[in-house]
Amino acid sequence: MELPTIQSDACCSLAGTVIDEAAAARIAPMFKALGDPVRLRLAALIASQPEVCVCDLQGHFTLSGPTISHHLKVLREAGLIGGERRGTWVFYWINPDALQSLSALLQPTVPAAS
Amino acid sequence: MELPTIQSDACCSLAGTVIDEAAAARIAPMFKALGDPVRLRLAALIASQPEVCVCDLQGHFTLSGPTISHHLKVLREAGLIGGERRGTWVFYWINPDALQSLSALLQPTVPAAS
DNA sequence: TCCTTGTATTGATGTTCATCGAAGCACCAT
DNA sequence: ATGGTGCTTCGATGAACATCAATACAAGGA
């Protein structure tokens, strides 16, 4: 059933390691959160400034308030952003560590010598 | 809610730019493809070697053949992997460029203009 | 030419998801 | 208090998704 495979050569990878079931269950929700066009743009908007008020996000979309709020919740539960109410408004900020860990996971470990 | 993290004025970002609607529609499907635990593990397995036979992938999962085949198709249509039949078996390989572009997008430091 | 093995597609089913309107909560000003 | 504004939660709905069994396709061997 299983063919022999060549393992030795330094190859590009998702961090060069095979991801076990537990790690996949932990990491996949982050990618999933970024896997919606609205949330990807929301994350980029939030990441473009130290912090952003929800009131400033709504104008970028032709979506209802509840829908924006839903997507922000998904991003927050994935650990990609944090949020806090301050007085009347609610502010969100990016979680740089989460972005960095995902970026590192996708980074080819061995840059091809050109 | 959590406390806000202190951030310098040089702010992290998804490539330091706001993502417009068209770009989001193009990029989000790649993240979405990685947003399933099975596909994330499949991608990591494929990326761990120059190329992998489907027959070597099946053993890592308790899923039916058609389901594995479906997930491979999703990864392929997202542009993350390529595949080819050679004789009896079908082989898949990772698309390093796709991974690299996603990694760069998540990189906190703004890369040099390209 | 058949049979076997490996992989993909089809069709069906239960679940998850994106979205909205309505309602609720939090805060502020009067 | 009372009302108003900003955001979230609730409940519902139609679409998308993950999964499997059955079927089909492709290639090699008897």
Side-chain angles (χ1 to χ4, degrees), chain A residues 1-7 9 11-14 16-21 23-25 27-29 31-32 34-38 40-51 60 76 81-86 90-96 99-100 102-108, chain B residues 1-5 7-9 11-14 16-21 23-25 27-38 40-53 55-56 58-60 62 89 91 94 96 99-100 102-109:
Chain A
M1 185 65 176
E2 299 207 350
L3 289 179
T5 48
I6 306 145
Q7 172 80 29
D9 278 343
C11 182
C12 49
S13 82
L14 295 139
T17 64
V18 170
I19 299 176
D20 63 51
E21 224 170 315
I27 298 166
F31 283 124
K32 190 173 190 176
L34 294 175
D36 179 276
V38 172
L40 185 58
R41 291 176 60 206
L42 278 172
L45 283 168
I46 293 170
S48 70
Q49 299 173 40
E51 61 185 20
H60 289 82
R76 185 156 42 81
I81 63 174
E84 184 189 43
R85 172 181 286 271
R86 280 205 291 277
V90 175
F91 293 87
Y92 283 95
W93 55 87
I94 204 73
N95 180 355
L99 291 193
Q100 175 56 43
L102 293 185
S103 177
L105 195 68
L106 298 172
Q107 188 80 32
Chain B
M1 289 184 178
E2 321 103 39
L3 288 178
T5 55
Q7 297 183 6
S8 66
D9 38 28
C11 184
C12 50
S13 84
L14 294 142
T17 65
V18 169
I19 299 176
D20 63 52
E21 223 169 317
I27 298 166
M30 300 192 204
F31 283 123
K32 190 173 189 175
L34 294 175
D36 179 277
V38 172
L40 185 59
R41 291 177 59 205
L42 278 172
L45 284 167
I46 293 170
S48 71
Q49 300 173 38
E51 60 185 21
V52 183
C53 173
C55 58
D56 287 333
Q58 313 245 21
H60 289 82
T62 56
W89 294 283
F91 293 86
I94 204 71
L99 291 193
Q100 175 56 44
L102 293 185
S103 177
L105 195 69
L106 298 173
Q107 196 80 24
T109 58

Side-chain angles (χ1 to χ4, degrees), chain B residues 41-102:
Chain B
R41 291 177 59 205
L42 278 172
L45 284 167
I46 293 170
S48 71
Q49 300 173 38
E51 60 185 21
V52 183
C53 173
V54 173
C55 58
D56 287 333
L57 293 172
Q58 313 245 21
H60 289 82
F61 302 87
T62 56
L63 291 170
S64 68
T67 297
I68 298 292
S69 190
H70 160 71
H71 285 304
L72 290 170
K73 186 179 184 180
V74 172
L75 287 170
R76 185 156 40 80
E77 288 179 342
L80 294 171
I81 63 175
E84 184 188 42
R85 173 182 285 271
R86 280 204 291 278
T88 302
W89 294 283
V90 175
F91 293 86
Y92 283 95
W93 56 87
I94 204 71
N95 180 355
D97 292 342
L99 291 193
Q100 175 56 44
S101 64
L102 293 185

